[in-house]
Amino acid sequence: MKAVIVEDEKAAVRNLMALLSEVAPEIEVVTALDSIAESIDWFRVQPQPDLVFMDIHLADGSAFEIFQHAEIRCPLIFTTAYDEYALKAFKVNSVDYLLKPIAAEDVRNALRKLECLRGEQSADRMQEAGLQGLLQALKQQEHYKTHFLIPQKGDKLLPLAVDAVYYFYITDGNVKAVTDGREYALSQTLDEIADYLPPATFFRVNRQYLIARRAIKDIDLWFNSRLSVNLTVPVAEKILVSKVRVAEFKEWFTRG
């Protein structure tokens, strides 16, 4: 089996080649491409390999630009430093991924999966299904905010990291973000903020509160089949999960 590696970090290339030599010595790495431009030139003129290992982010841009200029019909295994939640959206697709730092067992499992899939569908379908799932997941991931810019006196903007926020809530028609001991007024609606945040870490428990998973201390059973969520930071009132959202909340919280 002939394979191509698309990766701009030399240490990562060496590591992956060493792992392949250990777990699948029958795989011959014919070349390692370190940029979008080099990859486009190579795939335009060279025969299709049996497999491609492709890093998502290269020094000259997103690896998905390659697909706009060159045809890749063989199966792909993506390598990435994205957190695992972003990858869950396409984990069930036919092309697998290796989450950095890559271990030997990761490579072994990915190759085993590809071997099984070869008997079920064509390489074209394998590549297409996995690529479309990955594009969709990454597009959604890029949509999420990591920071908000909070207007301050003196024509300044204060960066507020999403990871620092315990919860967002509405009070007197205004939306505020609460960190450890401070509150910040935001111009967005709570609906808009919910769309900006990764659903793995924030949950809209009711119309008034949007809370972070890490802020949850414990949960009480409440009247009328509702839940009362207690946070690790002070809250002026009880945060109740509406009855219609209890099942979804439990699934979200336990899914991790």
Side-chain angles (χ1 to χ4, degrees):
M1 179 186 295
K2 297 183 182 297
V4 168
I5 296 175
V6 179
E7 169 65 71
D8 62 345
E9 297 180 9
K10 293 182 179 180
V13 173
R14 291 194 297 268
N15 179 60
L16 182 54
M17 292 186 68
L19 292 174
L20 288 173
S21 178
E22 175 186 344
V23 305
E26 71 279 7
I27 293 180
E28 175 191 356
V29 177
V30 295
T31 189
L33 309 169
D34 65 2
S35 69
I36 294 170
E38 185 180 21
S39 299
I40 291 171
D41 290 342
W42 194 92
F43 282 104
R44 278 178 172 174
V45 299
Q46 296 295 330
Q48 291 285 313
D50 300 300
L51 176 63
V52 174
F53 293 89
M54 180 177 290
D55 189 13
I56 291 171
H57 290 293
L58 302 174
D60 55 346
S62 168
F64 295 107
E65 294 180 33
I66 298 169
F67 297 93
Q68 300 174 14
H69 304 282
E71 185 177 14
I72 302 179
R73 299 187 304 275
C74 62
L76 295 101
I77 296 177
F78 296 100
T79 63
T80 177
Y82 269 87
D83 72 33
E84 189 170 357
Y85 177 78
L87 299 167
K88 286 181 179 178
F90 64 91
K91 185 176 181 179
V92 297
N93 282 295
S94 28
V95 177
D96 211 339
Y97 71 92
L98 302 177
L99 187 64
K100 296 180 179 179
I102 300 170
E105 191 62 22
D106 299 328
V107 176
R108 186 177 291 109
N109 290 337
L111 294 175
R112 187 180 299 121
K113 179 179 180 181
L114 283 174
E115 186 63 29
C116 292
L117 289 168
R118 285 180 186 279
E120 299 175 4
Q121 53 183 302
S122 69
D124 285 349
R125 289 181 59 194
M126 290 168 62
Q127 189 268 352
E128 180 181 1
L131 178 58
Q132 291 304 315
L134 184 57
L135 285 170
Q136 183 178 359
L138 293 178
K139 182 179 179 181
Q140 183 67 22
Q141 178 73 5
E142 290 171 357
H143 175 69
Y144 299 143
K145 286 185 179 295
T146 59
H147 291 76
F148 289 93
L149 292 175
I150 311 298
Q152 300 288 293
K153 293 180 180 180
D155 297 326
K156 290 188 177 182
L157 295 173
L158 175 67
L160 173 62
V162 168
D163 290 345
V165 178
Y166 287 88
Y167 64 93
F168 300 85
Y169 77 112
I170 300 174
T171 177
D172 298 325
N174 300 311
V175 175
K176 294 187 176 181
V178 178
T179 61
D180 190 5
R182 296 194 62 181
E183 290 191 356
Y184 302 89
L186 300 173
S187 60
Q188 297 91 342
T189 67
L190 203 58
D191 287 337
E192 290 172 336
I193 291 173
D195 288 338
Y196 294 150
L197 302 176
T201 52
F202 284 88
F203 190 88
R204 181 78 176 270
V205 294
N206 54 42
R207 292 185 178 182
Q208 189 177 0
Y209 283 89
L210 175 65
I211 63 177
R213 179 193 303 278
R214 70 184 183 88
I216 298 175
K217 178 182 179 182
D218 53 40
I219 303 166
D220 295 327
L221 299 177
W222 207 246
F223 302 105
N224 297 324
S225 302
R226 293 178 296 173
L227 299 175
S228 175
V229 181
N230 304 309
L231 303 186
T232 57
V233 292
V235 183
E237 59 186 321
K238 282 193 175 296
I239 300 179
L240 299 178
V241 181
S242 59
K243 183 177 180 180
V244 296
R245 305 220 66 188
V246 166
E248 185 181 356
F249 174 80
K250 289 181 177 179
E251 172 65 20
W252 168 79
F253 190 77
T254 57
R255 188 171 59 228

